Structures are given as C-alpha cells and as structure tokens.
Amino acid sequence: MNEQAAEQRVIAAEQARVAGELTALGRQLAKQRKLQRAAADYIATHGRHRTD
C-alpha cells in the first residue's frame, strides 16, 4: 500500500509538471496569435495593394 501511495505521488507530480508546461505553452500561443493578428492588421492597412 505504501508503494502504491508513493507511485501515486510521483504520478501527481508529473501531472502537475505537465500541466504547468501546457499552461506556459498556452500563453506562448496566445502571444503568437496576438502578434499574428497585429501583423495581419498592419498588412491590411499598410500593404502595397491598398487602395486609397
């Protein structure tokens, strides 16, 4: 029983680590989406093919 509890603690720690990494990746993706949106807006308003 003690071994099982220790194994569960190891699994819980690994899950917490992975959850932290996923949170960080989610933040990075959100920043990338924001940058891409800004770039697209800039191109749309300052592009060579824009008509005045």
Side-chain angles (χ1 to χ4, degrees):
M1 192 66 137
N2 222 2
E3 189 177 317
Q4 188 177 10
E7 192 173 322
Q8 287 176 342
R9 282 193 296 273
V10 169
I11 291 169
E14 178 68 6
Q15 287 175 334
R17 185 188 67 77
V18 170
E21 287 183 15
L22 288 172
T23 299
L25 283 172
R27 287 187 186 123
Q28 287 179 334
L29 287 172
K31 286 180 184 178
Q32 285 297 319
R33 281 193 298 269
K34 188 175 180 181
L35 285 173
Q36 288 177 354
R37 221 174 8 255
D41 288 345
Y42 179 85
I43 290 168
T45 58
H46 297 87
R48 281 190 289 167
H49 302 294
R50 194 180 110 201
T51 56
D52 293 320

